[in-house]
Amino acid sequence: MSTADVTLDADVVVVGAGMSGLYALKVLRERGLRAIVLEKAPGVGGTWYWNRYPGARCDIPSLEYSFGFDPELEQEWEWTEHFASQPEIERYLNHIADRYDLRRDIRLSCGVTAATFDEATDTWVFDTETGERLRSRFAIMATGGLSAPNRPDWPGMDRFEGTIVQTSLWPEEGVELEGKRIGIVGTGSSGIQAIPEIAKVAGHLTVFQRTAAFTWPSQNQPLTEAEQAEIKAKYRQLREEQYASFSGTAGTTGAVIFAFPTDDRKIRESTPEEREAALEDLGFSACRIWSDTATDLDANEMAVELFREMVRRTVKDPATAEALMPRGYPLGCKRPVLDAGYFDTFNRDNVSLVDLQRDPILEVTASGVRTAQGLVELDVLVLATGFDAMTGALTRIDVRGRGGRLLRDDWADGPRTYLGIGTEGYPNLFICVGPGSPGVLATYPPQIELQVGWMAEFVQYLVDHGLTRAEADREAQDTWCDHVNQVAEGTMFTAASCNSWYNGANIEGKPRVFLPYVGGLPVYMEKCNEVAAHGYEGFVLG
Ligand code: N01
């Protein structure tokens, strides 16, 4: 079959109907390209479909965690809080699906199991859970950075007679929590958001903590009409600030007092009185104002001590407070967490903490979780144990490229990408917010508009030029990967003591590779635009 004769279901199959997938469909369609979205979930929204656990909410101000592509949409949509809750964001994404008539090209409950590149025709063939098979010229993998759940495998899990539920797969019909004996494992963003909410309804809540976290009070508030109107009046300016900002965030609408260094105050040169004054003024944020903590581990440890002091002052039981104090890794190596009364929750009579570093989980039994110190009887076990981040959603699909090579094998020692978008050996396949792009380090909606917009333009360029194949060049890919590593070097992200999902350390056996591009969104897009301006330099076109 010649490449011209092949019958295509679409020019582009987009895998995933989260923010990236919805936006991809919209922009591809506007360019006259036929796109079909395949989505595993029965609803749109991606992460905001699956993560509907109590307390789920975004940690980016709502007026910024939203799309800027249509001023009318921006003006008509009303956010009710500074930090939007999961139901509100899910409603927003459903609104987008309806407002732009996207649903007719989205197939729900249609998870992709395999994607195979057919070299004879330069097309991708997709196999789905429904048995449906689709063929397209291009593949856009909008599979998400934090969408492949990490499920621990303790002995006896299948024997548990209660309910086991993951925060990242929370059922639409909810989970009966009222008055129950509940255990929760995991104290990252998901666990820290869920714990105060679950504690309010649980008979008893046991928190199983492996690593104490850094978390700051979000100080979330309802968004007043006046506040919202003020932002909306200057929305264009705000968006431009977002696109030009390192992290895609202008920081103008947050209720949180997120202190960052404003001058050159060094904690190493500070007096105890100055540090105490910072604690009194800024509370948990007192550790964040110093200019020397990002690169100097001793300075960092002094700042961590301020954080620990706040835990000591907040949590009444000294042993619990001690266990909740982060140790052994630097401030700034993990994604900061925002909470609503997290540490105060441990002052409740119905909440207790198990420090897994002293008292590890041995097994799950029919009636609960057994640690070295005994059995904790439970009705519900909640797993807030995170994700196989940035690569898991792709490597869990059988993605086969040229010569039948398997992406999962090619990435066994860590992902290799060009610009986080293309990967050598897999022509015509483009990855959204992938490893080697700012991904999880930059606010998704503005980043998606820029990156997915760039992809759509690339696809159109290929179609307009009658090109049927575009593949990342090996050398360009190597140079990009070296650059990604180089930029991360020397930051707290790559400190030897930093075990995080940013570097794969949270998943047993996953190679330790720092995954996102830490050079910032504007520098990244400048590079992408330069590549485009030079005829998509670094991609082999044919
Ligand atoms: O996942 P995590 P998350 N036994 O990996 C523990 C975004 N997000 O879902 O630190 C015992 O951060 C693990 O322990 P340790 C946000 O970007 C955003 O909470 O590996 N414990 C850790 O405590 C965030 O960073 C929002 O030692 C085990 C926890 O589980 C990212 O998603 C809300 C274990 C996992 O924490 C991931 O957050 C939610 C085991 N076998 C998520 N395995 C907002 O917008 C894992 N753990 C606010």
Side-chain angles (χ1 to χ4, degrees), residues 53 57-59 146 150 152 154 185-190 193 210-211 334-335 356 384-387 501:
Y53 57 85
R57 142 182 330 280
C58 189
D59 56 4
L146 292 157
N150 170 40
W154 299 294
V185 184
T187 50
S189 295
S190 304
Q193 286 186 333
R210 188 165 70 180
T211 304
K334 294 194 185 200
R335 162 90 180 209
L356 297 178
T385 44
F387 302 89
W501 58 258

Side-chain angles (χ1 to χ4, degrees), residues 204-208 320 345-346 348-354 376:
H204 190 89
L205 175 65
T206 306
V207 177
F208 296 90
T320 306
T345 301
F346 292 90
R348 295 177 65 110
D349 291 339
N350 70 335
V351 176
S352 48
L353 180 72
V354 175
V376 181

